[in-house]
Amino acid sequence: MINGKLKAAIVGMGFGGCFVPIWIDHPAVGEVIICDQNPARLQAHIDANPKAKTASFEEILADDTIDAVHLLSGIPDHAAHTIAVLHAGKHCACTVPMATTLEEIRAICAAVRRSGKNYMMMETTLYTYQFFYVSDMIRTGELGRIQLMRGSHYQDMEYWPEYWDGLPPFWYGTHALAPMIALSGSRVERVSCLGSGTMRPALTKRWGNPFPTETTHLRFANGLAGEATRTLFETARIYQEGLHVYGSKKSFEWGFADGDAPYVTSLSPRDDANRRGGVTTVEQVQLPNYYQYLPQELWKYTVGGQYDPEKPQDSLAVGAGGGHHGSHAHMVHEFVSSIVEGRKPWVDEALAGNITAAGICSHESALRDGEWITVPRF
């Protein structure tokens, strides 16, 4: 750290580009380095963020003055890049998924513990308006006892970078799995998954995956159960990263499309002795924005382009826009805060390992026609 502020590097300006101004504006960050293999894309982000400097990945690893690295490279590179950053003695944040094999997860955990540095998986769904809202429902007792959870992530990945072609759905299942695992207060212990559907032969070649969709059942160590569905190719469904939590008093269900207002159902005792069952009422709720958890310099990033500096409280009042439902600034702040405060980040290697491994084991179960598979501990 220089003058009490972090020097950080961001690797990968595709998805990573939207994080550059957040890092620059964070009050605990003094200098930001950006890196990308595409010169034109790199230059575009330098033009948009003149305070940032550039370096190659190799130069970043060799620079002892860099404290932390935020990786947003392609999925096949996540594990190798993470381990390289940790071995270089730097704190590492990485976009999802953590890895694509159990062996890679174990290697990352070992690198974290050898290095003594922080690792954080930057899982957007754990910092959304929706996740904060459900967490409050559970904390206050409004939801009651959790009875069942469901996760979903519907997305079509045609024409994305080549490594996506035919990717096993639950290798990139963290958005569907992470909220359930975090809210359960436990860890996934076993999974049973079924693959479904068919894809054109060209999509099955790289990864040997025959399934465009997968649905998994989860058994948590504390006895709760959940289920999740992930689609990647040739499945006609509008985009959604969904969280559905069913409680003894109330339930929360993500809107049909990703940006739709969620549904909250309330269950009341019957008011008529001749009526069967309880009384249920349902409403769509407008989610609040949880910008108050952030330094004021980052408030605007929770609503993206809808922020009005002349009327900040008006534009911040309701959750809307702002990068994966306002999550980007919260993730950066948690990672930075964990380093400054000398503690582990919330989504550390153990939690990230369980989330990622639950997906890896789910795909393995699908290849074994739904066989129950134990998820390793990390």
Side-chain angles (χ1 to χ4, degrees):
M1 297 178 70
I2 302 172
N3 297 322
K5 293 192 174 185
L6 296 177
K7 183 175 179 180
I10 307 170
V11 178
M13 290 294 103
F15 177 40
C18 61
F19 287 92
V20 176
I22 299 173
W23 276 97
I24 289 173
D25 285 349
H26 196 289
V29 175
E31 187 174 346
V32 174
I33 312 296
I34 64 175
C35 170
D36 195 274
Q37 291 182 323
N38 183 319
R41 184 161 61 186
L42 183 63
Q43 186 60 52
H45 286 287
I46 284 292
D47 293 342
N49 303 280
K51 290 183 180 180
K53 299 179 181 179
T54 64
S56 68
F57 185 56
E58 292 72 22
E59 289 169 337
I60 289 169
L61 295 178
D63 187 344
D64 291 337
T65 67
I66 293 176
D67 302 289
V69 178
H70 184 179
L71 295 172
L72 298 112
S73 47
I75 289 175
D77 296 322
H78 286 183
H81 283 177
T82 296
I83 292 167
V85 168
L86 292 167
H87 282 175
K90 307 178 193 307
H91 302 285
C92 183
C94 185
T95 189
V96 297
M98 181 184 193
T100 58
T101 69
L102 300 179
E103 292 73 20
E104 288 176 340
I105 298 176
R106 293 188 183 99
I108 291 171
C109 290
V112 171
R113 289 151 197 174
R114 280 195 304 268
S115 69
K117 299 298 181 180
N118 282 3
Y119 167 85
M120 178 175 169
M121 185 174 76
M122 303 292 260
E123 175 49 63
T124 57
T125 58
L126 297 181
Y127 294 93
T128 60
Y129 316 124
Q130 293 89 340
F131 184 84
F132 285 132
Y133 189 86
V134 178
S135 297
D136 282 350
M137 291 179 73
I138 294 170
R139 178 181 53 80
T140 62
E142 182 183 358
L143 188 119
R145 302 182 310 278
I146 297 176
Q147 306 290 36
L148 173 70
M149 292 184 288
R150 289 190 176 122
S152 58
H153 184 182
Y154 307 111
Q155 185 173 13
D156 186 81
M157 305 303 292
E158 289 281 359
Y159 311 117
W160 281 56
E162 179 268 341
Y163 66 79
W164 283 98
D165 288 351
L167 192 80
F170 269 112
W171 279 15
Y172 192 77
T174 64
H175 295 331
L177 299 169
M180 293 189 290
I181 296 171
L183 293 173
S184 74
S186 185
R187 58 179 294 277
V188 175
E189 197 170 56
R190 294 181 297 140
V191 297
S192 171
C193 182
L194 292 176
S196 182
T198 58
M199 298 185 292
R200 63 185 185 274
L203 289 176
T204 67
K205 292 180 179 178
R206 174 158 187 173
W207 303 107
N209 164 50
F211 305 122
T213 73
E214 291 177 337
T215 296
T216 190
H217 282 84
L218 317 166
R219 175 61 74 186
F220 296 89
N222 64 359
L224 281 174
E227 64 180 27
T229 298
R230 182 70 172 98
T231 70
L232 273 172
F233 292 98
E234 298 183 350
T235 304
R237 211 291 185 181
I238 194 169
Y239 183 89
Q240 181 201 71
E241 294 176 14
L243 169 63
H244 314 264
V245 184
Y246 302 91
S248 57
K249 296 179 181 179
K250 290 187 177 182
S251 296
F252 176 97
E253 295 178 281
W254 202 286
F256 181 76
D258 199 56
D260 291 350
Y263 295 86
V264 173
T265 300
S266 301
L267 175 63
S268 303
R270 64 185 186 184
D271 53 5
D272 181 345
N274 296 316
R275 179 187 175 95
R276 295 183 179 182
V279 179
T280 55
T281 57
V282 63
E283 61 175 332
Q284 278 192 283
V285 298
Q286 294 299 317
L287 297 173
N289 182 0
Y290 295 84
Y291 66 90
Q292 67 271 19
Y293 297 155
L294 297 168
Q296 188 170 351
E297 294 89 339
L298 303 187
W299 287 359
K300 62 185 176 182
Y301 296 110
T302 63
V303 291
Q306 301 188 51
Y307 180 73
D308 182 356
E310 300 298 321
K311 300 177 181 179
Q313 297 307 318
D314 291 343
S315 57
L316 290 166
V318 179
H324 285 88
H325 306 282
S327 65
H328 293 179
H330 289 280
M331 291 192 301
V332 172
H333 182 57
E334 167 61 11
F335 182 52
V336 170
S337 297
S338 73
I339 298 169
V340 172
E341 295 168 9
R343 60 171 175 83
K344 294 180 81 68
W346 176 40
V347 191
D348 64 4
E349 73 279 6
L351 178 55
N354 190 239
I355 294 167
T356 306
I360 293 169
C361 291
S362 290
H363 177 61
E364 183 63 27
S365 172
L367 295 176
R368 301 184 193 180
D369 198 28
E371 177 183 329
W372 280 98
I373 291 181
T374 298
V375 178
R377 297 186 70 111
F378 300 101

